[in-house]
């Protein structure tokens, strides 16, 4: 029967953001219709020095209607950027407010400030400012045309506006508010889903197949382009290169440096078979890796990881190509094995544990140990440092029981009590058996007595099950 493991990496570029119509700064207690700032691609803006964030609206507080009758000026103070010579500020009144605010002058006292000063419209009562401004509904002042010098394109850097309105009565403050109106974001991101490279190799089947006898496994890596509002980077025609790292030498049984005939390893393989790479994949297309055997060779328990790169051009015309890169784990293939629990083992100054395991097979298996102390509700993993149980008889007293005692002593200073021990060995169940017991030495006569706890494993005959 032909057995295979299929490792698939699918990469896609997807736009997820839509350009905001306007950033709204709330000047009062009203609801903000669109509080989000504009986003700018950190990657795409790398070679740009100016950006026009578009419209920013100031949400006027209708509770200040009486004061807005004499609106005289609107000041915008900028943090995180400066005005460019291309700036040509424009202000307009929208919503259910009414009056003519088209008569104004705009000045730029500094490169971080714009001031709109209203002049007397024709037909009013010749008062200074905008006479008779009426607020109703959701009145807003819309500001456009402020072109910004924004060199700090690092992810997370921001630009803020503070908008202040003043009255024609001595320039008295009407209201003020601040908000972030522009934020630099990373345009590209990588996510993994369908995390499938977690196969459990069946040691009871000679490590030739997986426990569930599946013929394929799939993992998906997605490079997404969360399109920003401004200055987006543009992926080039064939931007994606994906390298899958792992130990694939098990596909080369004749040790000639190449995958054996009848077996499969997709991509361009490294000469030492520790990686394979697929190149020239268009954004949105899958980069697939297939590893296939005929079910007669031992599968390698190992961890997998990937490295993916995406080439793109910045927003500026003629800009040089750059690249986005990501790397992460894609899971691992592990071994199942023989598991058994020694439910009871006393330990103390006059107690000497006995624990040995017999491995009747021919392939060494890694050992994994967890223990639970008397009075505890959770198990603790004992670090076995990659210990392999070799065929034959192995004494586990020192490496397991003494290590547990030392572990407990280092943690609490108390080694008196009882412990339950769970042991897994990556070897077939019918090849593993174990014996557990303990000796007790009398503190004064030094005489010894031996107690058998039981034999364990598929070949064992469990004793003292009530303990």
């Amino acid at each position: 029967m032909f057995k295979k493991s299929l490792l698939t990496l699918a990469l896609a570029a997807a736009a997820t953001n839509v350009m905001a119509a306007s950033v709204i700064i709330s000047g009062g207690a009203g609801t903000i219709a669109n509080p989000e700032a504009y986003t700018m691609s950190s990657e795409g803006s790398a070679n740009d020095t100016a950006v026009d964030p578009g419209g920013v609206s100031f949400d006027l507080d209708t509770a200040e209607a009486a004061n807005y009758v004499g609106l005289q000026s609107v000041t915008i103070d900028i943090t995180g950027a400066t005005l460019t010579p291309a700036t040509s500020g424009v202000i307009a009144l929208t919503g259910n407010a009414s009056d003519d605010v088209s008569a104004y002058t705009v000045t730029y006292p500094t490169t971080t400030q714009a001031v709109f000063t209203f002049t007397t419209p024709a037909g009013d009562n010749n008062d200074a400012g905008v006479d008779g401004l009426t607020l109703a509904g959701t009145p807003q002042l819309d500001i456009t045309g402020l072109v910004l010098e924004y060199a700090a394109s690092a992810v997370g850097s921001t630009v803020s506006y503070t908008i202040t309105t003043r009255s024609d009565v001595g320039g008295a403050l009407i209201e003020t508010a601040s908000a972030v109106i522009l934020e630099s974001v990373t345009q590209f991101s990588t996510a993994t889903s369908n995390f499938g490279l977690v196969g459990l190799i069946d040691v009871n089947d000679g490590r030739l197949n997986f426990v569930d006898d599946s013929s394929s496994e799939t993992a998906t890596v997605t490079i997404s382009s969360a399109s920003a509002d401004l200055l987006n980077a543009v992926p080039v025609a064939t931007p994606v290169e994906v390298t899958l790292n792992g130990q694939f030498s098990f596909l080369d049984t004749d040790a000639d440096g190449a995958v054996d005939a009848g077996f499969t390893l997709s991509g361009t393989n490294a000469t030492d078979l520790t990686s394979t790479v697929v190149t020239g994949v268009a954004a949105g297309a899958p980069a697939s890796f297939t590893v296939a055997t005929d079910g007669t060779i031992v599968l390698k328990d190992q961890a997998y990881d990937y490295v993916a790169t995406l080439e793109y051009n910045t927003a500026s015309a003629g800009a040089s190509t750059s690249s986005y890169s990501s790397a992460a784990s894609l899971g691992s293939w592990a071994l199942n094995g023989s598991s058994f629990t020694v439910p009871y083992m006393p330990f103390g100054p006059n107690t000497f544990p006995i624990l040995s395991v017999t491995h009747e097979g021919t392939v060494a298996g890694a050992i994994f140990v967890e223990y639970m102390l008397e009075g505890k509700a959770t198990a603790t993993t004992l670090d076995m440092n990659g210990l392999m149980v070799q065929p034959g008889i192995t004494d586990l007293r020192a490496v397991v029981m003494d290590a547990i005692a030392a572990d407990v002593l280092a943690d609490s200073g108390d080694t008196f009590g009882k412990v339950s021990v769970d042991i897994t060995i990556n070897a077939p169940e019918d090849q593993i058996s174990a014996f557990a017991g303990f000796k007790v030495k009398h503190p004064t006569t030094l005489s010894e007595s031996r107690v058998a706890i039981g034999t364990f494993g598929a070949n064992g005959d469990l004793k003292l099950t009530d303990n």
Side-chain angles (χ1 to χ4, degrees), residues 353-430:
I354 302 169
L355 182 61
S356 64
V357 63
T358 299
H359 182 0
E360 298 176 5
T362 59
V363 180
I367 182 172
F368 304 90
V369 176
E370 287 187 338
Y371 65 88
M372 184 180 294
L373 295 174
E374 183 180 24
K376 301 292 185 180
T378 58
T380 300
T381 298
L382 183 66
D383 187 358
M384 299 304 297
N385 297 309
L387 177 66
M388 304 293 289
V389 175
Q390 301 295 329
I393 299 176
T394 301
D395 184 1
L396 297 180
R397 178 193 55 79
V399 295
V400 175
M401 298 311 303
D402 288 356
I404 290 174
D407 199 5
V408 174
L409 179 62
D411 181 55
S412 65
D414 181 9
T415 61
F416 297 90
K418 304 179 184 70
V419 64
S420 169
V421 184
D422 293 327
I423 296 176
T424 298
I425 299 172
N426 289 147
E429 293 180 353
D430 61 3

Side-chain angles (χ1 to χ4, degrees), residues 14-19 39-41 185-188 224-233:
T16 58
N17 289 354
V18 178
M19 177 70 173
T39 58
M40 182 177 71
S41 168
V185 298
T186 181
Q187 186 177 339
F188 302 109
S224 298
S225 176
S227 181
D229 297 323
L230 304 165
L231 299 179
N232 280 293

Side-chain angles (χ1 to χ4, degrees), residues 342-359:
V342 179
Y344 167 89
M345 180 70 78
F347 61 104
N350 300 313
T351 304
F352 304 91
I354 302 169
L355 182 61
S356 64
V357 63
T358 299
H359 182 0

